[in-house]
Amino acid sequence: MQIITSSTELDTRSIRVQTRKANDIQNEQSLIISELERSQFPIFVRRHPTAKLRGLPSGIYNCHGLTFASRRTMVYDPNEIWKIIKDDNYVRVEQIQALPGDVVLYLSAEGDVEHSGIVISEPEPHFYLPKVWSKWGKYYEVIHYVNDCPYEKSNIKYYRIMG
Amino acid sequence: MSSLLRDKELDNLKEIFVFANTPSYLYKNFRQNPAVLGLSEKYQTEELIGFFERLVQSEKPDMESLLMSYALLFAISLKEYAESRRFLNGVDRHKNLEWIKEIREIIIANARATTIKNIDLNHKTNAVPSRHEVELTIMQDAR
């Protein structure tokens, strides 16, 4: 993967990421999580006790980087997410039909794609809530129920690649 | 400068900052945060801009300074756009703030949208005929 830009101000860089249709995806890696940032993380562990953490915190990739860019970089522009959904042939599925491997988008009323993740379990009986594998910003990767995260939950949509 | 906010308030801002996947998430959640709303209510636009400009001088800001910079920026964004327009136009020169270019665009786009809505509301208010206009219409109809 080719590094195409660098910026000394924030210690960030971009890599080349493309959709299936060879359209470039704007992205950025944040190379440093300061010790101060890291020292705050135990607070969040206490605040979100049901979140099952995996790996280590990283600024290299965010939720969209996990869901759509193989954990190699951060994608933060919602337009880029919709470009991927369109170019990569994702189609909407209902929550009750969700299967492991589908992706879930958390949409805000303002049109932002606040969060995304990968479905890892079928919706469980009674509440029909699947479990999701996602990443919370610069924090850890997290295993959580779809409705158990600090993002807008009133407009959650599921997508599946169809061929 | 971080003494403008209490530790608990900073903790809440830390969570927003660390969990943010997008600039829009920062914009929405910082502006809804009571501490940021409090800053906007307590200080004049010029004072907030002064605090912000002093804070962002540091090349390697610590976490608290970084959070305060965002808190001040979003507090300024809650003020009248006419008072902050000049500041906002040049704020993306502070490249040690992550997503500053995108945040600036979001703030300005939303401020402009709000200004246009305000004009529309005024227009609707003006569209209601004054008592003089009503009387004039009645007189014209009577002729």
Side-chain angles (χ1 to χ4, degrees):
Chain A
M1 215 168 267
Q2 180 190 1
I3 296 167
I4 53 177
T5 63
S6 94
S7 155
T8 51
E9 290 91 352
L10 258 178
D11 214 358
T12 61
R13 67 185 181 199
S14 297
I15 59 173
R16 176 153 296 161
V17 179
Q18 294 188 320
T19 67
R20 284 183 177 187
K21 292 186 177 172
N23 287 312
D24 287 334
I25 298 297
Q26 184 193 341
N27 69 90
E28 191 173 88
Q29 299 172 332
S30 182
L31 301 180
I32 291 173
I33 293 184
S34 72
E35 282 310 306
L36 264 162
E37 281 175 290
R38 213 179 287 273
S39 70
Q40 310 307 322
F41 292 159
I43 303 169
F44 308 139
V45 174
R46 288 195 294 277
R47 285 186 174 190
H48 299 277
T50 54
K52 190 168 185 180
L53 309 179
R54 74 189 298 279
L56 286 173
S58 167
I60 295 279
Y61 62 103
N62 63 352
C63 64
H64 302 317
L66 166 69
T67 308
F68 296 109
S70 304
R71 297 192 270 190
R72 290 183 173 129
T73 190
M74 271 197 295
V75 181
Y76 53 85
D77 182 342
N79 296 319
E80 301 297 283
I81 305 303
W82 293 121
K83 195 195 289 180
I84 295 168
I85 293 285
K86 186 166 171 274
D87 280 9
D88 289 7
N89 204 25
Y90 280 93
V91 296
R92 279 259 331 258
V93 291
E94 295 302 320
Q95 178 167 294
I96 198 165
Q97 300 165 326
L99 291 172
D102 292 342
V103 304
V104 54
L105 302 185
Y106 296 72
L107 309 176
S108 77
E110 297 79 20
D112 187 23
V113 184
E114 275 192 6
H115 187 49
S116 66
I118 299 169
V119 173
I120 56 167
S121 76
E122 290 184 42
E124 295 179 8
H126 307 303
F127 294 110
Y128 299 105
L129 296 172
K131 275 190 177 170
V132 169
W133 167 33
S134 73
K135 185 162 184 295
W136 296 1
K138 294 186 177 70
Y139 194 53
Y140 291 85
E141 291 180 14
V142 182
I143 309 292
H144 58 94
Y145 278 105
V146 71
N147 63 342
D148 185 17
C149 63
Y151 302 97
E152 177 65 52
K153 293 176 276 283
S154 62
N155 193 10
I156 294 175
K157 289 191 164 56
Y158 296 83
Y159 291 85
R160 181 177 300 160
I161 281 193
M162 287 297 190
Chain B
M1 192 71 68
S2 55
S3 60
L4 287 170
L5 297 178
R6 292 192 295 266
D7 284 352
K8 174 104 190 213
E9 292 172 325
L10 278 170
D11 280 348
N12 292 334
L13 295 179
K14 271 173 208 160
E15 179 163 326
I16 296 169
F17 177 76
V18 171
F19 289 175
N21 292 303
T22 63
S24 295
Y25 181 87
L26 276 186
Y27 173 84
K28 184 180 93 174
N29 288 282
F30 263 75
R31 281 167 52 102
Q32 288 175 353
N33 182 275
V36 175
L37 289 166
L39 283 175
S40 178
E41 284 167 14
K42 191 170 175 184
Y43 297 100
Q44 301 293 318
T45 308
E46 284 306 313
E47 290 178 291
L48 293 168
I49 291 172
F51 294 148
F52 176 89
E53 295 290 359
R54 262 175 277 155
L55 257 179
V56 293
Q57 298 305 320
S58 166
E59 281 188 12
K60 288 273 178 190
D62 60 22
M63 183 69 161
E64 274 71 17
S65 301
L66 197 64
L67 291 170
M68 270 311 300
S69 302
Y70 283 112
L72 288 164
L73 173 61
F74 288 116
I76 293 164
S77 79
L78 289 162
K79 296 288 199 178
E80 283 290 327
Y81 180 49
E83 293 174 13
S84 59
R85 182 166 44 199
R86 200 167 157 200
F87 161 77
L88 289 171
N89 280 339
V91 76
D92 55 342
R93 72 181 185 279
H94 299 296
K95 299 199 186 308
N96 57 347
L97 290 178
E98 189 175 32
W99 293 334
I100 188 64
K101 183 170 161 280
E102 290 80 8
I103 288 169
R104 174 187 165 274
E105 284 170 8
I106 293 167
I107 291 173
I108 291 177
N110 281 285
R112 284 184 178 151
T114 309
T115 307
I116 289 165
K117 267 187 204 164
N118 287 343
I119 290 167
D120 279 344
L121 284 175
N122 288 338
H123 180 70
K124 278 179 193 164
T125 309
N126 292 340
V128 176
S130 67
R131 198 177 120 197
H132 172 71
E133 285 170 326
V134 171
E135 284 170 355
L136 197 64
T137 310
I138 292 168
M139 282 165 65
Q140 283 169 344
D141 286 349
R143 279 181 202 153

